Amino acid sequence: MPARQRWARRLLWLVLALAIAAGTGSRLLDSLPSPPQHASVAPSVLYDRYGTPIAEIGPSVPHASLGLEDMAPALVDALVAVLDPSFLERDGVDAGAYAVALRQLWGEPDPTRNGIMRRYLETVHDPHDGAASEARLLLAELRLGRQLSRPEILERYANIVYLGRGAYGVHAAANAWYGIPASDLTVTQAAYIASLVDAPWGVDAASGPADDRYRSTRQDRDRVLVTMYQHGMLTSDELATGRSQPVPAGVRPAAALGVGAAGSGTPDHGTLDAAAGGFVRMLIAEAGLTAAVGQAYVELVERYGIHRVVTGGLHVTTSVDVPAQRAAVRAVRTQLDSAASSAVGAEVAVLDRSGDVRVLVSAGRVSTAGDVDVEAGLRPRPFGDLLGPAADVVWAWIVDGGDETSVGTVPLAGDASQVAAAFSVIATGGERRTSRIVLEASDTPPSRSLPDRDTDRWPMERTLVPAATSITELRAGMDSLTLPSGVPALGRAGVSTGTGDAWFAGWTTHYIAAVRIASKPPTAEIDLATATGELFAAVLDPLQHPP
């Protein structure tokens, strides 16, 4: 066969292979899920184990989605300048995006691909699964470029980006910082808000020298103005005028918005994370749920990230048992009222045998008159010498997986739920439980038909602990008692030598509980060990025979 024919045949096969690859890639992209909408901001709702709403976690500043036409033109220009000056000049998927995706999948980073499209996807996607998440983001980026125009992508991102002071999106940011609509922002104001994309604390965290506290903030804003000028968005006169303006000019005081405060003027609001702009609104106010909701918040943020928790409209089913929680609050108040002046607060945690937190109460006295404030909570303090030296071994297993070098220091780490989880090792004869309060998260409210729901159900974690002989010895040292309902229980009371706090830990067939009553000297006027045992029984008894 002549050489020319051989080369022609090879070229034909190459063209055919490229066509097949292109078609396969196109079908692959079309088979991917559509890009998440999430252009609006909705609070997450927390429910108890029976589906009763107990709290909302959401943004601190009211949110509204705007079209690009409803934003000040200078704001659109400023966002584009700070994120990707040529973003709107391109359309669809960039040439070579497939090659870039392949390079990144092979582990070659590309520092240029962190513009508006990538930031938007990183904001709305769940931030777990490591490298696999990167692969999904790359494919989602290609799909996003095929389905939406560049202005649509910019509009979505502008409506959800966090811009400080509890403001998600440019509408909320314009109100939080300047008290005006996003359509009325001046060039200087727009440049300042755009500079908050990477530093959302803004002037509220001015840390420059005493004679120029806003130096770094001004430099960030001016960098945006210069970039706008370099890309023809500003004239030289507008640049000079903008740079001459002091950064705080016209900025609304943070105190007027309640940012960073412990509350917002009403008893059912509290700031969970001022830096991330989240607040919690308790939907059930009398059940002492602050500690439980706070723990749920921590678990959710670890899994989903703060942005998804505050803005993603999650419906979260927790393990909290509200009827038992209410009974525990009544028992804590009764016990502290009868514990005279030496008791300064109490902490209670009840776990079931799966490690799910059914009850979590933290209460402290707020006045010398003995008033008990369950919402105020008790300052964390160690439980102390649990069951003597043998408990150090249990704690070493729990925290460090058998690292005996930590013996003697591990007990200092415990709060009530950790102590209850530690005692689950003894209660179950050698199985460690990881306590949790979040059971699952979904995009829809909970229903009775769990298998039919699109949920993210978290698996129960249990680990077999060795050295059963030591566990048997610990179990043999527990005292037998009977709850008021006649249910048998095992438990142990004691007083911490370091703090004088009394504690009681134990279990029934189905539940494990830890109780602590914090005290101040002198403690001789009451028997704290007896008080903790009574509180333990009062908290566990309603769970054995729920109403």
Side-chain angles (χ1 to χ4, degrees):
M1 182 183 296
R4 180 174 297 179
Q5 291 182 356
R6 288 199 301 271
W7 280 108
R9 180 170 295 181
R10 291 173 181 171
L11 181 61
L12 180 61
W13 279 110
L14 178 61
V15 171
L16 181 61
L18 290 174
I20 293 174
T24 302
S26 178
R27 285 194 297 273
L28 175 62
L29 291 178
D30 290 337
S31 67
L32 291 173
S34 298
Q37 295 292 326
H38 199 43
S40 61
V41 167
S44 293
V45 182
L46 275 58
Y47 303 82
D48 77 344
R49 64 187 307 105
Y50 306 113
T52 303
I54 60 175
E56 287 183 349
I57 299 174
S60 301
V61 180
H63 172 271
S65 293
L66 303 177
L68 290 184
E69 67 278 5
D70 298 319
M71 305 175 194
L75 177 61
V76 177
D77 289 343
L79 288 172
V80 171
V82 77
L83 294 169
D84 185 351
S86 61
F87 182 76
L88 294 178
E89 298 173 3
R90 308 187 300 272
D91 199 10
V93 179
D94 295 341
Y98 288 94
V100 171
L102 289 175
R103 287 201 304 270
Q104 288 221 10
L105 288 174
W106 282 99
E108 297 181 18
D110 183 357
T112 65
R113 298 187 64 80
N114 61 349
I116 298 173
M117 193 179 296
R118 170 54 63 94
R119 285 172 182 259
Y120 170 70
L121 288 172
E122 287 177 342
T123 300
V124 297
H125 274 281
D126 296 344
H128 47 322
D129 291 345
S133 177
E134 174 66 17
R136 286 199 304 271
L137 283 172
L138 287 167
L139 293 174
E141 188 173 351
L142 296 176
R143 180 70 183 268
L144 186 67
R146 288 166 59 95
Q147 291 193 337
L148 298 178
S149 68
R150 294 303 175 96
E152 288 174 319
I153 297 170
L154 174 61
E155 179 182 301
R156 287 193 180 190
Y157 182 66
N159 279 309
I160 62 172
V161 59
Y162 182 62
L163 295 168
R165 290 192 172 183
Y168 289 85
V170 294
H171 168 80
N175 179 62
W177 289 100
Y178 294 104
I180 60 176
S183 58
D184 294 345
L185 291 170
T186 66
V187 170
T188 306
Q189 293 169 338
Y192 173 69
I193 286 181
S195 72
L196 298 172
V197 169
D198 292 318
W201 48 87
V203 298
D204 293 338
S207 57
D211 60 341
D212 191 2
R213 293 180 54 230
Y214 305 109
R215 181 172 62 189
S216 61
T217 306
R218 187 184 67 252
Q219 290 172 343
D220 291 340
R221 181 205 63 184
D222 290 354
R223 192 175 298 114
V224 177
L225 290 170
V226 169
T227 304
M228 293 173 70
Y229 170 72
Q230 290 173 341
H231 287 83
M233 302 171 183
L234 297 180
T235 65
S236 58
D237 290 340
E238 289 173 327
L239 173 63
T241 300
R243 297 182 67 178
S244 67
Q245 295 292 320
V247 171
V251 171
R252 192 179 188 182
L257 301 172
V259 175
S264 61
T266 57
D268 60 345
H269 285 70
T271 300
L272 280 175
D273 190 335
F279 79 91
V280 59
R281 182 167 71 95
M282 305 303 296
L283 303 177
I284 297 179
E286 83 287 359
L289 290 164
T290 299
V293 171
Q295 180 59 37
Y297 173 78
V298 171
E299 292 183 18
L300 288 167
V301 170
E302 288 177 350
R303 184 162 180 87
Y304 294 107
I306 176 65
H307 203 292
R308 180 78 192 280
V309 174
V310 174
T311 69
L314 292 172
H315 292 269
V316 181
T317 301
T318 70
S319 59
V320 175
D321 188 322
V322 167
Q325 179 82 14
R326 286 192 172 107
V329 168
R330 290 194 296 268
V332 165
R333 286 183 171 141
T334 299
Q335 194 58 249
L336 289 184
D337 285 343
S338 64
S341 61
S342 63
V344 297
E347 191 175 19
V348 175
V350 179
L351 278 59
D352 61 26
R353 290 303 183 96
S354 296
D356 297 340
V357 178
R358 294 294 191 96
V359 171
L360 189 60
V361 176
S362 181
R365 292 191 185 276
V366 296
S367 74
T368 56
D371 297 329
V372 178
D373 190 340
V374 178
E375 300 298 332
L378 179 66
R379 183 177 179 181
R381 291 162 68 173
F383 265 68
D385 44 350
L386 298 170
L387 295 182
D392 290 343
V393 180
V394 174
W395 274 98
W397 286 336
I398 295 299
V399 179
D400 295 314
D403 181 6
E404 295 185 0
T405 61
S406 62
V407 170
T409 62
V410 175
L412 298 178
D415 61 14
S417 60
Q418 290 173 319
V419 170
F423 272 82
S424 72
V425 175
I426 313 172
T428 60
E431 283 190 352
R432 179 180 71 180
R433 300 288 192 265
T434 300
S435 65
R436 63 178 181 179
I437 206 165
V438 173
L439 296 181
E440 62 188 28
S442 171
D443 291 330
T444 58
S447 65
R448 294 182 181 275
S449 55
L450 290 178
D452 298 332
R453 290 163 51 194
D454 179 19
T455 62
D456 181 5
R457 192 164 184 86
W458 299 5
M460 182 181 69
E461 298 182 27
R462 60 172 66 179
T463 305
L464 186 63
V465 176
T469 302
S470 297
I471 294 174
T472 302
E473 293 174 356
L474 287 172
R475 191 182 184 104
M478 306 297 287
D479 300 321
S480 298
L481 66 152
T482 302
L483 301 183
S485 60
V487 174
L490 289 174
R492 184 69 176 271
V495 177
S496 171
T497 55
T499 64
D501 296 351
W503 54 263
F504 194 105
W507 61 87
T508 65
T509 303
H510 300 292
Y511 301 100
I512 304 157
V515 171
R516 173 167 66 100
I517 296 181
S519 64
K520 63 181 180 179
T523 60
E525 58 190 271
I526 59 171
D527 185 349
L528 286 180
T530 300
T532 54
E534 294 172 352
L535 183 55
F536 170 85
V539 168
L540 272 190
D541 201 54
L543 279 165
Q544 314 304 318
H545 304 283

